[in-house]
Amino acid sequence: MISLLLGIALESASRDVIVLAAASLRNPFLEMERVFEAKNPGLDLKCSFAGSQELATQIVMGAPADAFFSADRKQMDLAVKSGRIPERWVRPFASNDLCLLVAKRAVGKIKKVDDLSHDGLKLSLACDKVPAGNYTIQMLRNASAKLGEVWLAKVISNVVSRETSAAMVVARIEMGEADAGVVYETDANGVRNASKRPIPADWNVIARYFLGAIGDGGNPEGGQKLSAFVLSREGQLILRKHGFSAAR
């Protein structure tokens, strides 16, 4: 009887698909969860959202997981290097762009990237350990090639917080703790009490997202099924609906 109950418990557990996904993917993945589970009766997605660097660290440390969805290749490479994700299972699946998010009280002061150097501004940026932070640094360096190193130094001096995800930058702005920040386009959509400002295309940086099923998880087949769904036309349409573009 005990062995029978144990077998039932293990079978039940194997139906869970543990998903580690970048914080910026929360909205499309919550929708995908409903659609995927409806198409795959018996499979239950267990999604956890955080900065890609935090999730990659969890994978390297051996945390239970069946699929990883990263906001950059660097963090995916760390997971692959750990031996848990076969390189042949890694695929690009979406792209994103950066934009400025400006609090309503500061819209008169900040109309474009150039204005981030104005005295007295409070800026929030993602820290350089996370994909959003690395993309932001690249963008600011691109801009400084035209606007100058003095401009860049003034921008950096205006930074009052460094966050562990672009979503946390949005939260700082919404709470009134920052006048502006650099976030993903998808994070800025629908934010109240703030406005989006575009970043010139020749300065902007494309955020590239990668997926990988985990070979030694509790449900590698489930992880591969989810990966295939995200890459499918239906999964891609859900990503587009939430502002992501095709892998570039």
Side-chain angles (χ1 to χ4, degrees):
M1 177 63 72
I2 293 177
S3 61
L4 175 61
L5 292 175
L6 180 59
I8 293 173
L10 289 173
E11 182 180 357
S12 175
S14 70
R15 293 180 181 276
D16 290 346
V17 182
I18 301 176
V19 180
L20 303 183
S24 52
L25 294 167
R26 175 182 292 273
N27 290 336
F29 269 56
L30 290 178
E31 181 172 347
M32 283 192 198
E33 180 178 4
R34 296 190 294 272
V35 177
F36 178 82
E37 290 178 351
K39 296 174 74 72
N40 295 274
L43 288 181
D44 185 12
L45 297 190
K46 303 293 185 183
C47 297
S48 178
F49 302 99
S52 297
Q53 83 296 338
E54 180 180 338
L55 300 175
T57 298
Q58 291 178 24
I59 292 170
V60 171
M61 297 298 291
D66 298 305
F68 178 36
F69 299 85
S70 174
D72 73 355
R73 180 72 205 221
K74 179 181 178 180
Q75 303 306 322
M76 181 60 70
D77 284 345
L78 290 175
V80 170
K81 188 176 179 180
S82 74
R84 300 192 64 195
I85 298 179
E87 175 65 39
R88 66 183 183 278
W89 291 357
V90 175
R91 296 285 187 279
F93 71 94
S95 299
N96 212 340
D97 292 296
L98 301 178
C99 71
L100 297 182
L101 185 64
V102 182
K104 281 191 175 180
R105 67 172 185 273
V107 292
K109 301 177 182 178
I110 305 173
K111 299 183 182 300
K112 53 186 178 179
V113 174
D114 312 45
D115 300 330
L116 296 179
S117 64
H118 290 176
D119 292 339
L121 291 181
K122 295 181 179 180
L123 305 180
S124 179
L125 303 178
C127 68
D128 58 8
K129 294 182 180 180
V130 305
N134 282 323
Y135 293 135
T136 297
I137 290 170
Q138 293 176 45
M139 182 276 291
L140 292 174
R141 286 175 177 164
N142 292 343
S144 70
K146 179 178 180 180
L147 301 176
E149 292 299 321
V150 173
W151 170 86
L152 180 59
K154 288 182 177 180
V155 172
I156 298 304
S157 71
N158 283 337
V159 176
V160 296
S161 77
R162 298 273 190 168
E163 304 300 332
T164 56
S165 69
M168 287 302 299
V169 174
V170 174
R172 290 291 184 190
I173 295 168
E174 288 187 305
M175 291 187 293
E177 297 175 1
D179 297 311
V182 179
V183 301
Y184 295 124
E185 283 267 4
T186 54
D187 286 321
N189 292 335
V191 175
R192 298 179 180 180
N193 301 318
S195 298
K196 284 198 304 184
R197 294 286 187 267
I199 295 171
D202 55 342
W203 297 348
N204 212 338
V205 177
I206 298 171
R208 294 181 169 90
Y209 290 68
F210 291 82
L211 61 78
I214 295 172
D216 64 356
N219 192 345
E221 182 181 352
Q224 291 183 57
K225 280 188 176 181
L226 176 60
S227 296
F229 176 76
V230 172
L231 292 168
S232 73
R233 182 176 183 276
E234 190 169 11
Q236 292 291 300
L237 286 174
I238 293 174
L239 286 164
R240 303 296 178 279
K241 176 181 174 182
H242 290 273
F244 291 84
S245 56
R248 286 178 275 171

